[in-house]
C-alpha cells in the first residue's frame, strides 16, 4: 500500500494539481480491516471536479446497490496549499467529518506516459489517528487507496479502502 514515499534526505514532494483525477468514473470499492463489514467489490461511481487551477478537488462518491441505484453518497474535498507540499482533506460527516491537514508524501506526473501519482499522510486533530491516501492514474485507470489507523487503548484498528476506476461508460 504505502511504502517508498521518500526519505529524510529527499526533497519534499510538491503537488501542482489534482486535474489528472477530474472526470466521471465507475468501478469497484473494497474496504477491509478491523471491524469492516462492507461487501467486497461494491460498485461505485465517482464524480471528481477540480477548481482553482486544479488545486481544489471535490469528490462525490456514490456506492451502488445491485440495481445500480445510489445506496450511500459520500463527499470529500482536498485542497492544496500554495507550496503544494500540504493537503487539507475534509471527509464526509457520515465517516467522521474530520478535517485533516497532511503533508504530501508523493507527487509525480509524466505527461509522456500518462502516469500521475499523489499521496499524503495526516494525523487526525487531537489524536494519534493517522490517515494515508494515495491517488494514481495510468492512462484511463485511476485508483485511490486509503489506510486509516485509529489508535485506541485496546490497540490500533486499521481500515483499508481501495477504489479501482475506469472512465464512466467506457
Amino acid at each position: 500500500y504505502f511504502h517508498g514515499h521518500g526519505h529524510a534526505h529527499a526533497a519534499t514532494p510538491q503537488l501542482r494539481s489534482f486535474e489528472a483525477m477530474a472526470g466521471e468514473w465507475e468501478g469497484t470499492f473494497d474496504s477491509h480491516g478491523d471491524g469492516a463489514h462492507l461487501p467486497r467489490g461494491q460498485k461505485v461511481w465517482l464524480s471528481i471536479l477540480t477548481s482553482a487551477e486544479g488545486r481544489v478537488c471535490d469528490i462525490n462518491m456514490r456506492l451502488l446497490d445491485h440495481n445500480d441505484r445510489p445506496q450511500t453518497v459520500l463527499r470529500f474535498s482536498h485542497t492544496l496549499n500554495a507550496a503544494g507540499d500540504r493537503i487539507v482533506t475534509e471527509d464526509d460527516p457520515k465517516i467522521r467529518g474530520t478535517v485533516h491537514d497532511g503533508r504530501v508524501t508523493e507527487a509525480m506526473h509524466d505527461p509522456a506516459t500518462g502516469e500521475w501519482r499523489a499521496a499524503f499522510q495526516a494525523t487526525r486533530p487531537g489524536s494519534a489517528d493517522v490517515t494515508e491516501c494515495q491517488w494514481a492514474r495510468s492512462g484511463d485507470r485511476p485508483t485511490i487507496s486509503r489506510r486509516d489507523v485509529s489508535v485506541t487503548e485496546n490497540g490500533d484498528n486499521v481500515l483499508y479502502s481501495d477504489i479501482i476506476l475506469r472512465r464512466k461508460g467506457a
Side-chain angles (χ1 to χ4, degrees):
Y1 277 80
F2 300 93
H3 44 277
H5 289 305
H7 307 281
H9 62 275
T12 302
Q14 293 182 319
L15 183 60
R16 298 190 199 318
S17 170
F18 287 106
E19 198 62 45
M21 294 298 287
E24 298 294 321
W25 308 100
E26 61 186 351
T28 58
F29 171 76
D30 279 310
S31 191
H32 62 280
D34 305 320
H37 302 289
L38 297 167
R40 300 297 296 258
Q42 186 168 10
K43 285 179 149 183
V44 65
W45 289 347
L46 264 68
S47 177
I48 302 177
L49 300 172
T50 59
S51 58
E53 297 177 347
R55 300 186 78 74
V56 176
C57 174
D58 291 305
I59 299 174
N60 185 343
M61 177 176 163
R62 294 174 297 284
L63 296 170
L64 308 177
D65 65 15
H66 61 279
N67 293 316
D68 289 346
R69 288 189 302 247
Q71 181 179 23
T72 304
V73 177
L74 301 170
R75 290 182 174 78
F76 303 88
S77 177
H78 308 287
T79 304
L80 284 168
N81 69 351
D85 62 353
R86 299 197 69 79
I87 297 174
V88 174
T89 293
E90 188 171 347
D91 287 343
D92 191 284
K94 293 181 193 96
I95 61 163
R96 290 195 176 137
T98 306
V99 174
H100 314 275
D101 180 358
R103 65 183 175 80
V104 172
T105 56
E106 183 178 18
M108 189 280 285
H109 183 209
D110 184 344
T113 65
E115 278 195 74
W116 176 90
R117 285 193 311 271
F120 80 94
Q121 181 182 47
T123 303
R124 194 165 293 119
S127 76
D129 297 356
V130 174
T131 294
E132 296 175 313
C133 190
Q134 180 185 54
W135 302 276
R137 181 169 171 190
S138 181
D140 254 0
R141 296 289 180 175
T143 59
I144 301 171
S145 296
R146 181 169 161 157
R147 183 175 79 107
D148 291 286
V149 180
S150 298
V151 179
T152 71
E153 56 191 40
N154 299 326
D156 294 354
N157 288 323
V158 182
L159 180 66
Y160 298 94
S161 301
D162 294 296
I163 302 171
I164 300 171
L165 301 165
R166 65 187 170 278
R167 181 87 46 203
K168 202 166 176 186

